[in-house]
Amino acid sequence: MTRLRRALASDLDAIDALEQATFPGDAWSRELLAAELTGEHGHYLVAVDDADAVLGYAGLLAPRGSGQADVQTIAVAAHARRRGIGAALLDALLAEAEARDADEVFLEVRADNPSAEALYVSRGFERIAIRTAYYQPDGIDAVVMRRIVPIGRNEAAESTNSHDSEPPSALVLGIETSCDETGIGIVRGDELLANVIASSMDEHARYGGVVPEIAARAHLEALTPTIEQALQDAGVTLDELDAIAVTSGPGLAGALMVGVGAAKALAVATGKPFYAVNHLVGHVGADVLNHEPLVGDGALELPTIALLVSGGHTSLLLVRDLTSDVELLGETIDDAAGEAFDKVARLLGLPYPGGPEIDRVAADGDARAIRFPRGLTNPKDLERHRYDFSFSGLKTAVARHVEAAQAMGEPVPVADVAASFREAVVDVLLTKALAACRDLGVPRLLLGGGVVANRRLRDAAVERCAAAGVSLRIPPLRLCTDNGAMIASLAAQLIAAGKPPSSLEVGADSTLPVTVIQA
Ligand code: KG4
Ligand code: ZN
């Protein structure tokens, strides 16, 4: 069986030989071929047999945003002709041109090659010019052809999608290493096949928070066994995957680098496309896998406001389209919500991670005992920071309260402090999220991130959304905390939307903006 895949640097020998045999006297130099194969605007494919021997190759040059694409070359080995390989390669290139929003595709064909010209005509190409004596040394004319991509999907792209590089339900492995969880997930379209998580949380416990160097080292150690476990759980092999996805940001730089390096290595070794995606949008992408949400029902509806709260981030997003239109409304200007739980737990002498501990002791406390400050909610702050959060003032207020009790020689009212602190965090989070729903006329709220495990946050969200006429969605907790399935899911959505893979030049970006859904 013949299969198409992206051309790799290791295919250079085979491609060079094919080029020399197909275009004697006029072949590209090996250096030029090598540069083309790895160039950022190019898209080179090879057709291979079961033994991965190269039967043909083809390349497209399509700088993103130019609206134009050029079919550089299509060559099929003499012994493999008349098997439709040239047509399959062409169709795959046309689908790629379309994915890159190229409205016009150009190519040149020898005037003495009518069968090639007939193939191009069958795919909608028209002659637009003749270049006299273009092919040397034999002085053959070049026929310049152009195809205007029709509005909407064309037949060539459809047929390619159904059998080759971008099947409608791509099988994707996702790697998440932005913080302290090594997450490997495998999805097929919107179906969750595996979600394996190795956490280095215990190793951070004695420091009271995530230590970046420890997290990076732990990812390195956990990656291989976690990937193997996920493949086993999903019952698939690396070879069967359609793509490798990874979180490229935002997150801890060193931790991200481990995942990005691993994903690139896997992509190159297996010849699979590489998708580098945004962690925050991934949290929303998790909800596509979510056929049984903790709160809510049916499929994810858009647009939605999303509130993502974890140890590393506190962000309020407007998601109009998961693969193309996400806007950051606001975020924390100091500590993340989960971080505030962790720091306050420490003040109260509770272990790390603080969220579950605060939840536990707050159960016996009075949430109205102490009126702690709500950050960025007074009218002046609201003007500049309507949807932003701040938790450092709250943390300081808790510290003052604890110190005051100690100075008086009184016992610290741990349960009341925990309950009142938790109430302050939950109140600000929901007040701002619901303000966004109201201001923007979007009556839907999605919650994600590890802090969603908080009991009070979930209960208050249910009550307040119901009162505001906002429909609430909360994915199951295992999909709320950082995981690889959400990254695989987002990449599967990007593939279904026809987005081309990321360049292997893309690196980790600890401050990747949320508007960059795919790096
Ligand atoms: O999303 P996540 O698993 O990982 C990252 O932050 O990267 O979130 C972990 C955070 C920690 O800060 C933890 O304290 C917080 O979520 N958390 C909670 C609860 N459970 C975990 N915060 C409040 N209440 C909880 N029950
Ligand atoms: Zn996260």
Side-chain angles (χ1 to χ4, degrees), residues 34-91:
E36 287 291 317
L37 284 188
T38 53
E40 67 165 319
H41 300 307
H43 182 76
Y44 276 74
L45 300 172
V46 286
V48 293
D49 64 13
D50 288 335
D52 209 42
V54 173
L55 302 177
Y57 85 100
L60 185 81
L61 191 65
R64 293 205 170 84
S66 69
Q68 295 186 345
D70 261 281
V71 174
Q72 298 287 299
T73 181
I74 297 186
V76 178
H79 69 275
R81 298 213 177 119
R82 278 180 287 282
R83 280 167 33 189
I85 294 174
L89 286 165
L90 174 63
D91 289 347

Side-chain angles (χ1 to χ4, degrees), residues 179 181 310-312 338-339 341-342 353-356 359 449-451 453-454 481-482:
C179 192
E181 270 99 11
S310 78
E339 201 177 357
F341 273 93
D342 296 335
D359 243 3
V451 179
N454 190 276
T481 50
D482 289 350

Side-chain angles (χ1 to χ4, degrees), residues 178 279 283 310 313 449 482 486:
S178 69
H279 175 84
H283 271 297
S310 78
H313 40 78
D482 289 350
M486 69 189 203

Side-chain angles (χ1 to χ4, degrees), residues 176 178-181 201 210 279 283 309-313 336-342 352-360 421-422 425 448-458 477 480-483:
E176 155 61 39
S178 69
C179 192
D180 61 341
E181 270 99 11
M201 194 187 287
V210 175
H279 175 84
H283 271 297
V309 272
S310 78
H313 40 78
E339 201 177 357
F341 273 93
D342 296 335
Y352 173 85
E357 292 295 321
I358 298 233
D359 243 3
R360 186 173 57 78
F421 159 77
R422 182 177 70 167
V425 174
V451 179
V452 173
N454 190 276
R455 258 251 84 82
R456 179 67 194 139
L457 176 59
R458 293 209 306 276
L477 290 183
C480 278
T481 50
D482 289 350
N483 65 84

